[in-house]
């Protein structure tokens, strides 16, 4: 078999067999199939798609590229959540300790920044000292101690996703339903949880721009998950505008602290509580979503979710001083305000351009080897619906390299729409579907 023939077969719209997909994935992980051929194949998949059967072969080949984490002996309902990627989406950082404080056990394997979206691992690593490259033994130990543990793909665990994820990030091949499905499901299977809540994002800041596309991705995730024996629930949520007020790695950690201390912005808290409530129901800890949400609110009010977060940061090597006094955490040396061009209401803040601006400032990568800066990003001072005056500050750009501020400012100015009428309130949760309904054609 030759990689080039499989690229051509997919380019011409053919279906690959299990053996062919295994050949590509195993060859890529061993270094026998080079980046340029894999990138070319990913682009062919982007344009030609994959059948459900091929997506299953790809997911299994990626799982088979490494070991699955064995969580036998870890007691409690093993439930996790995964987002398909957004801007300002720091839900995992809040939800994992919250779900753990309610009794779930959350083994969470996440990704890095991808395209214009942020990555949970980059956000966590912005906490000085925090490690996400845990050995399996350490992962299990943190999980037992804190009720949740955060890690990334490694040379042992789904190495195929680690390589392919980084390659797709810089080759314009992210927005593909089969590639996203295999990337997410291979990580979720390998981490050892039994049930998953998927937050499938749609809108300008998501990889799926329309609700119909988001539904197709939800179905693909659910069917692939069910074929691997996992229980799934999907929430389709709005990502046309950023979530919360902070976008950028440590800026999002700051907002996480506010949420865990009961001072989080309404949109971010609403979605986090809903997704966590689904986890509690799926894990059998509560029967009704309303009761589950009430329990989550109580765990934030009584401080237990915050304490679990601090415990995890300590267990994964992070310095809690930066959390107890965020002024001690990373802070970019340069700021620039973006101001309202006119008086009226902030009508729209396009998440995609906000994400691109963060990338320009250095919160994500343009090339695989680029560093990610912990302190840069965008602080939103106004939310859609707020009245604004001409010249009033709408957001603050945080930069390490002042030369990047001008391009980021232009992107932000293009992201903002100020209108004369107050826009209708944002509908955040657009659809909720459970695996039984999703599992059917
Ligand atoms: N999240 C992932 O883990 N993988 C993708 O491809 C997209 C979002």
């Amino acid at each position: 078999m030759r990689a080039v023939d499989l690229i051509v077969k997919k380019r011409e719209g053919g279906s690959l067999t299990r053996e062919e997909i295994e050949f590509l994935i195993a060859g890529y992980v061993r270094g026998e199939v080079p980046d340029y051929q894999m990138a070319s194949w990913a682009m062919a998949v982007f344009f030609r798609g994959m059948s459900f059967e091929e997506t299953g072969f790809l997911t299994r080949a990626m799982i088979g590229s490494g070991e699955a984490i064995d969580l036998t002996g870890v007691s409690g309902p093993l439930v996790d959540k995964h987002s398909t990627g957004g801007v300002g989406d720091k839900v995992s950082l809040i939800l994992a300790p919250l779900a753990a404080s309610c009794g779930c056990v959350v083994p969470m394997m996440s990704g890095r920044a991808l395209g214009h979206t942020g990555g949970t691992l980059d956000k966590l690593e912005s906490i000085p000292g925090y490690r996400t490259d845990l050995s399996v033994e350490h992962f299990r130990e943190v999980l037992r101690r804190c009720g949740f543990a955060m890690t990334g793909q490694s040379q042992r665990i789904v190495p195929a996703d680690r390589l392919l994820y980084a390659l797709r990030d810089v080759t314009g091949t992210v927005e593909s339903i089969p590639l996203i499905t295999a990337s997410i499901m291979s990580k979720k299977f390998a981490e050892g949880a039994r049930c998953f809540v998927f937050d499938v994002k749609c809108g300008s800041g998501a990889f799926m721009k329309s609700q119909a596309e988001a539904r197709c991705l939800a179905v693909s995730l659910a069917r692939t998950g069910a074929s691997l024996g996992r229980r799934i629930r999907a929430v389709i949520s709005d990502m046309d505008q950023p979530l919360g007020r902070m976008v950028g790695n440590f800026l999002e950690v700051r907002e996480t602290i506010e949420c865990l201390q009961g001072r989080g912005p309404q949109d971010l808290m609403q979605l986090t509580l809903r997704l966590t409530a689904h986890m509690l129901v799926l894990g059998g800890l509560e029967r009704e979503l309303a009761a589950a949400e009430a329990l989550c609110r109580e765990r934030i009010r009584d401080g237990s979710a915050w304490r679990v977060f601090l415990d995890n940061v300590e267990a994964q090597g992070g310095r809690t001083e930066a959390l107890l006094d965020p002024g001690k955490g990373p802070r970019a040396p340069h700021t620039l305000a973006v101001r309202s061009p006119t008086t009226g209401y902030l009508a729209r803040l396009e998440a995609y351009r906000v994400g691109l601006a963060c990338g320009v400032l250095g919160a994500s990568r343009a090339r695989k080897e680029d560093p990610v800066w912990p302190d840069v990003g965008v602080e939103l001072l106004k939310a859609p619906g707020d009245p604004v005056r001409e010249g009033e500050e709408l957001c603050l750009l945080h930069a390490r390299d002042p030369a990047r501020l001008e391009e980021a400012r232009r992107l932000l100015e293009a992201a903002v729409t100020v209108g004369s009428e107050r826009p209708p309130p944002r509908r955040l949760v657009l659809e909720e579907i459970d695996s039984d309904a999703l599992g059917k054609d």
Side-chain angles (χ1 to χ4, degrees):
M1 237 183 267
R2 295 188 320 158
V4 63
D5 299 328
L6 305 183
I7 297 167
V8 170
K9 186 172 179 189
K10 185 40 79 184
R11 189 195 70 196
E12 297 306 308
S15 290
L16 301 188
T17 63
R18 182 171 52 218
E19 292 71 29
E20 288 169 337
I21 291 176
E22 278 171 2
F23 170 84
L24 278 175
I25 296 297
Y28 186 45
V29 171
R30 282 198 300 264
E32 291 159 13
V33 175
D35 268 356
Y36 57 83
Q37 285 192 311
M38 216 50 196
S40 176
W41 173 78
M43 190 58 87
V45 173
F46 175 91
F47 281 115
R48 291 300 194 164
M50 275 184 154
S51 66
F52 172 68
E53 196 181 31
E54 283 177 289
T55 307
F57 293 153
L58 178 61
T59 309
R60 285 176 174 76
M62 287 172 64
I63 294 170
S65 70
E67 304 160 28
I69 299 177
D70 181 5
L71 293 181
T72 346
V74 177
S75 55
L78 290 160
V79 197
D80 187 17
K81 182 252 23 162
H82 197 89
S83 155
T84 59
V87 177
D89 180 4
K90 68 284 291 171
V91 167
S92 292
L93 275 66
I94 312 158
L95 163 147
L98 179 56
S101 70
C102 294
C104 290
V105 179
V106 188
M108 192 179 273
M109 187 177 295
S110 307
R112 299 193 174 278
L114 190 62
H116 62 280
T117 69
T120 299
L121 298 181
D122 296 320
K123 293 171 201 186
L124 288 166
E125 286 176 0
S126 74
I127 303 171
Y130 196 98
R131 302 290 301 260
T132 60
D133 55 348
L134 305 187
S135 67
V136 172
E137 296 68 33
H138 192 181
F139 184 72
R140 269 196 295 258
E141 190 188 305
V142 176
L143 197 57
R144 280 204 198 91
R145 166 172 158 182
C146 311
F148 83 100
M150 314 290 274
T151 194
Q153 322 92 315
S154 66
Q155 269 165 0
R156 275 177 69 188
I157 314 290
V158 271
D161 186 52
R162 191 168 68 103
L163 297 170
L164 202 47
Y165 192 94
L167 187 74
R168 287 168 56 221
D169 185 27
V170 291
T171 55
T173 49
V174 172
E175 298 93 336
S176 153
I177 289 181
L179 295 180
I180 296 176
T181 302
S183 163
I184 293 181
M185 277 317 308
S186 60
K187 283 195 282 290
K188 297 294 102 177
F189 187 87
E191 71 181 22
R194 307 300 307 172
C195 332
F196 305 109
V197 177
F198 288 120
D199 180 10
V200 182
K201 302 280 191 201
C202 80
S204 79
F207 297 126
M208 301 294 113
K209 303 298 177 199
S210 70
Q211 196 169 334
E213 285 175 302
R215 202 177 296 122
C216 288
L217 176 55
V219 170
S220 175
L221 284 164
R223 288 186 66 190
T224 308
S227 76
L228 291 163
R230 299 296 188 257
R231 289 186 55 214
I232 281 145
R233 201 156 278 190
V235 171
I236 298 181
S237 72
D238 173 64
M239 185 27 78
D240 204 52
Q241 307 176 28
L243 200 52
R245 297 294 179 99
M246 301 289 196
V247 190
N249 298 314
F250 195 71
L251 288 171
E252 296 193 36
V253 171
R254 281 174 207 260
E255 194 169 36
T256 297
I257 298 169
E258 287 170 13
C259 292
L260 289 170
Q261 294 181 343
R263 296 177 282 117
Q266 192 265 338
D267 62 339
L268 177 57
M269 284 317 298
Q270 183 197 338
L271 184 61
T272 305
L273 291 170
R274 192 71 183 171
L275 292 166
T276 318
H278 275 295
M279 288 171 73
L280 301 195
V281 172
L282 211 50
L285 292 166
E286 289 287 348
R287 288 171 62 128
E288 304 290 337
L289 286 171
E293 275 198 41
L295 179 61
C296 293
R297 282 183 207 283
E298 181 52 26
R299 290 295 170 260
I300 288 182
R301 201 202 55 74
D302 69 13
S304 28
W306 168 233
R307 283 193 296 276
V308 170
F309 183 62
L310 286 175
D311 193 28
N312 167 275
V313 170
E314 211 171 80
Q316 297 205 201
R319 290 202 285 283
T320 49
E321 310 90 84
L323 305 179
L324 297 168
D325 176 1
K328 292 196 177 135
R331 186 175 285 274
H334 306 279
T335 54
L336 179 77
V338 175
R339 296 173 187 275
S340 178
T342 173
T343 296
Y345 292 95
L346 182 58
R348 188 171 181 222
L349 195 54
E350 195 200 334
Y352 177 62
R353 284 196 169 93
V354 177
L356 288 182
C358 279
V360 166
L361 292 169
S364 56
R365 301 166 188 80
R367 289 170 311 165
K368 280 205 301 185
E369 49 286 349
D370 285 349
V372 162
W373 289 336
D375 43 8
V376 301
V378 179
E379 184 175 351
L380 306 170
L381 305 173
K382 298 282 178 191
D386 286 350
V388 293
R389 279 175 289 103
E390 183 180 338
E392 195 176 354
E393 292 185 356
L394 298 178
C395 60
L396 212 52
L397 307 178
H398 294 253
R400 208 176 250 219
D401 173 3
R404 300 185 182 205
L405 279 169
E406 196 41 40
E407 191 183 345
R409 183 174 66 83
R410 262 187 270 124
L411 280 163
L412 252 299
E413 282 175 355
V416 165
T417 310
V418 177
S420 55
E421 293 189 8
R422 194 190 284 272
R426 180 180 193 184
R427 252 186 80 220
L428 201 52
V429 173
L430 303 172
E431 214 172 311
E432 299 183 78
I433 326 169
D434 80 29
S435 53
D436 295 344
L438 280 168
K440 299 190 185 93
D441 283 320

